[in-house]
């Protein structure tokens, strides 16, 4: 039997922090108490005094690049980076190659993860303009949801046929997650800046090309359609102040049919950072203004925004070092997302309880994930220990994503993830990922 006793931790769960012990047997948390004694000599004891014990984060939006784009990242490399960052479960997106737009291709991704993933995993089924029949075959018990790109994406995944969209929204009982940017607005903006700069468009106008208007037009349409059809909608990576008026905090999360996510980079960077970071903070949707960032923080704290995620999307250094128009959008974030939010905590922006709510509890609730996202007896032991005062600097040699770079390079974080457990197994300890690929397929209580 695998038995671990975590002693003297500051346990963070459901809005409270209390000092105590947690006993793990095999995959599960079996006891939580003020003081627990080891019941056998082979019980591994970890003294977590002064440290936070949090539920492992659940990242509801990542791009791990397998199959087809594995020169950028793969399920093994990126899940290793995730567990090093205290993320114990991820939901991966369908714009791999080939796109996951048939049940057969979707299942192949699950089979790869079963062999290679260090973290728990689920994969979104992708919608296109012409695969409704395949979408409707998706099993709500073992697939996280349906992903629709309402802005440009890899391959044939832009869904721009309004009749098709309405059929998808009307037909599936599953959660529909959307990327909202209006393609025509972006194309018009791009032509304006190309006319001004030719092929040498500067990255500093990225947020004006992929503008606040482009985001609002698309997200407001998606929300109107969800209200019309009764669909269960989750809006990914919100980036603008204007969009915040579309969401409510007037009802409990469990009663919301329309939920919202913000990503770490939109809470951290602003358009002023393009001068120093360039394409390394080029994301879609774009990082926008300081005013937008402030509005996102306000909405996160008053519960109009429900989830913090990463949209982890690695590209090679060579790809990112191209000119603005050629450089792809996206960047690696899973290794640094939790400590970045703890940095915000040290800056007085957010409580530790709120970090756990937005990164663990709420993703589990929104997707109805079975027995994960909380520190509870009978739940899977997906846990991270965070030392709030153990500084470390992000350097090339400690970056685990295959792409080998990070937008946080040379930044010194105040907090460090010291231990990560996945299904009761210690998979990460102080900069070392153990060769224990114990991730499981997420299951859903639907």
């Amino acid at each position: 039997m695998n038995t671990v006793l975590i002693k003297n931790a500051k346990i963070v769960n459901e809005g409270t922090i209390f000092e105590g012990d947690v006993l793990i047997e095999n995959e599960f948390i079996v006891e939580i108490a003020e003081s627990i004694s080891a019941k056998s000599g082979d019980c591994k004891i970890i003294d977590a005094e002064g440290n936070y014990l949090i539920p492992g984060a659940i990242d509801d939006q990542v791009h791990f690049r397998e199959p087809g784009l594995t020169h950028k990242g793969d399920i093994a490399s990126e899940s290793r980076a995730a567990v090093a960052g205290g993320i114990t479960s991820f939901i991966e997106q369908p714009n791999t190659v080939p796109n996951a737009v048939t049940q057969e291709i979707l299942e192949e991704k699950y089979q790869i993860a079963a062999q290679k993933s260090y973290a728990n995993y689920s994969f979104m089924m992708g919608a296109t303009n012409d695969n409704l029949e395949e979408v409707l075959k998706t099993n709500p018990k073992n697939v996280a949801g349906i992903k629709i790109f309402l802005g440009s994406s890899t391959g044939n995944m832009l869904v721009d046929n309004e009749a098709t969209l309405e059929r998808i929204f009307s037909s599936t009982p599953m959660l529909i997650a959307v990327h909202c940017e209006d393609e025509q607005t972006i194309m018009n903006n791009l032509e304006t800046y190309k006319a001004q700069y030719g092929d040498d468009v500067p990255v500093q106008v990225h947020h004006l090309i992929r503008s606040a208007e482009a985001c609002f037009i698309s997200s407001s349409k998606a929300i109107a359609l969800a209200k019309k059809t009764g669909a269960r909608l989750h809006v990914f990576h919100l980036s603008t102040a204007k969009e915040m008026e579309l969401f409510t905090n007037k009802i409990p999360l469990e009663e919301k049919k329309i939920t919202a996510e913000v990503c770490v980079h939109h809470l951290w960077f602003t358009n002023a950072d393009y001068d120093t970071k360039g394409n390394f903070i080029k994301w879609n949707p774009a990082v926008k203004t300081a005013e937008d960032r402030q509005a996102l923080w306000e909405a996160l704290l008053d519960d109009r925004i429900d989830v913090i995620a990463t949209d982890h999307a690695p590209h090679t250094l060579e790809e990112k070092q191209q000119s603005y128009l050629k450089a792809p959008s996206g960047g690696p974030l899973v290794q640094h997302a939790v400590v970045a939010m703890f940095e915000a905590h040290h800056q007085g922006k957010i409580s530790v309880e709120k970090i756990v709510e937005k990164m663990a509890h709420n993703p589990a609730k929104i997707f109805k994930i079975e027995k994960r996202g909380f520190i509870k007896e009978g739940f899977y032991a997906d846990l991270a220990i965070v030392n709030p005062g153990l500084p470390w600097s992000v350097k090339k040699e400690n970056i685990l994503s295959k792409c080998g770079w990070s937008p946080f390079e040379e930044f010194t974080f105040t907090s460090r993830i010291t231990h990560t457990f996945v299904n009761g197994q210690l998979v990460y300890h102080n900069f070392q990922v153990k060769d224990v690929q114990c991730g499981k397929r997420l299951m859903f209580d639907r």
Side-chain angles (χ1 to χ4, degrees):
M1 182 183 286
N2 169 53
T3 310
V4 180
L5 178 58
I6 301 170
K7 299 279 296 175
N8 308 312
K10 293 196 277 191
I11 300 166
V12 189
N13 193 62
E14 295 185 286
T16 64
I17 300 176
F18 58 99
E19 292 205 7
D21 300 352
V22 172
L23 180 64
I24 300 166
E25 288 181 0
N26 294 330
E27 298 175 333
F28 297 103
I29 297 167
V30 295
E31 189 179 353
I32 303 165
E34 196 172 305
S35 181
I36 301 171
S37 300
K39 296 176 175 64
S40 66
D42 59 356
C43 176
K44 179 179 176 64
I45 298 174
I46 296 171
D47 187 354
E49 188 170 3
N51 297 338
Y52 293 104
L53 180 67
I54 66 172
I58 300 170
D59 194 340
D60 77 355
Q61 187 190 183
V62 303
H63 302 265
F64 281 0
R65 305 304 194 195
E66 191 169 5
L69 299 164
T70 53
H71 65 289
K72 302 172 190 277
D74 57 54
I75 288 169
S77 65
E78 307 315 290
S79 66
R80 287 177 84 248
V83 298
I87 291 170
T88 54
S89 299
F90 63 84
I91 297 173
E92 211 256 3
Q93 303 307 300
N95 56 332
T96 37
V97 179
N99 298 155
V101 295
T102 70
Q103 294 300 322
E104 182 181 14
I105 296 169
L106 181 64
E107 191 53 40
E108 284 170 5
K109 291 178 71 168
Y110 280 103
Q111 289 169 12
I112 295 167
Q115 300 296 317
K116 298 177 68 171
S117 187
Y118 289 79
N120 305 309
Y121 51 88
S122 190
F123 297 92
M124 286 275 194
M125 175 65 182
T128 70
N129 280 326
D130 50 21
N131 77 332
L132 180 60
E133 202 171 300
E134 284 293 311
V135 166
L136 295 180
K137 292 177 188 172
T138 308
N139 184 347
K141 291 282 186 188
N142 64 9
V143 177
I146 311 301
K147 173 67 178 288
I148 304 179
F149 288 91
L150 303 177
S152 58
S153 175
T154 308
N156 178 38
M157 294 204 66
L158 173 62
V159 183
D160 54 4
N161 183 309
E162 294 201 4
T164 298
L165 273 174
E166 185 155 346
R167 282 201 299 275
I168 296 169
F169 272 62
S170 302
S171 304
T172 180
M174 291 187 69
L175 178 146
I176 298 168
V178 286
H179 173 138
C180 289
E181 291 182 286
D182 183 66
E183 196 66 13
Q184 192 59 54
T185 302
I186 292 165
M187 288 167 62
N188 293 345
N189 291 340
L190 180 58
E191 288 311 308
T192 298
Y193 286 100
K194 275 186 170 179
Q196 185 175 344
Y197 292 103
D199 289 335
D200 198 24
V201 177
V203 68
Q204 283 85 350
V205 300
H206 183 57
H207 71 294
L208 303 175
I209 293 171
R210 303 190 80 95
S211 62
E213 180 193 21
C215 294
F216 184 80
I217 289 169
S218 184
S219 51
S220 58
K221 276 184 185 173
I223 288 167
L225 187 55
K227 288 178 176 176
K228 177 182 175 182
T229 58
R232 173 67 187 88
L233 183 69
H234 185 52
V235 185
F236 275 159
H237 46 41
L238 290 154
S239 63
T240 74
K242 177 76 170 160
E243 289 169 295
M244 296 307 97
E245 68 192 49
L246 299 170
F247 299 93
T248 185
N249 56 1
K250 301 284 192 288
I251 56 174
L253 178 63
E254 291 82 355
E255 294 175 24
K256 286 186 181 183
K257 294 215 65 172
I258 298 167
T259 49
E261 175 213 270
V262 67
C263 289
V264 169
H265 46 284
H266 292 122
L267 293 171
W268 189 279
F269 299 104
T270 74
N271 64 300
D273 295 307
Y274 290 123
D275 288 344
T276 53
K277 296 284 185 181
N279 292 332
F280 294 109
I281 61 162
K282 183 186 177 188
W283 279 280
N284 299 341
V287 167
K288 296 187 174 68
T289 68
E291 291 76 18
D292 288 306
R293 180 176 64 179
Q294 179 60 30
L296 294 172
W297 271 110
E298 289 171 6
L300 179 72
L301 295 174
D302 74 15
D303 298 334
R304 283 171 287 161
I305 293 178
D306 307 292
V307 172
I308 302 169
T310 68
D311 194 16
H312 175 93
H315 298 285
T316 67
L317 204 52
E318 293 73 27
E319 289 168 331
K320 277 293 197 179
Q321 286 172 335
Q322 297 177 103
S323 65
Y324 164 71
L325 289 178
K326 291 181 180 175
S329 292
L333 282 166
V334 288
Q335 190 176 348
H336 307 116
V338 174
V339 289
M341 287 301 98
F342 269 81
E343 200 66 28
H345 165 67
H346 285 295
Q347 294 165 1
K349 292 178 181 174
I350 188 169
S351 68
V352 174
E353 298 95 315
K354 205 73 168 172
I355 295 170
V356 167
E357 176 189 312
K358 303 295 184 179
M359 299 189 85
H361 298 342
N362 285 2
K365 287 180 179 181
I366 284 169
F367 287 88
K368 300 187 176 178
I369 301 171
E370 289 185 356
K371 294 185 176 179
R372 302 191 191 275
F374 296 84
I375 302 178
K376 289 183 178 179
E377 292 173 3
F379 272 52
Y380 288 100
D382 296 338
L383 302 165
I385 298 175
V386 185
N387 185 322
L390 191 60
W392 65 288
S393 298
V394 180
K395 298 187 178 299
K396 284 214 179 294
E397 55 266 29
N398 60 33
I399 293 169
L400 294 180
S401 285
K402 186 186 273 192
C403 66
W405 64 272
S406 166
F408 289 114
E409 244 167 281
E410 300 308 320
F411 187 83
T412 298
F413 286 111
T414 308
S415 304
R416 186 189 299 180
I417 309 291
T418 59
H419 303 70
T420 305
F421 294 84
V422 177
N423 298 310
Q425 296 285 329
L426 180 62
V427 294
Y428 172 81
H429 180 214
N430 275 339
F431 294 118
Q432 296 297 317
V433 180
K434 298 177 181 293
D435 195 20
V436 184
Q437 290 160 305
C438 58
K440 288 179 170 289
R441 183 171 183 160
L442 297 176
M443 304 301 284
F444 304 93
D445 187 16
R446 301 166 174 154

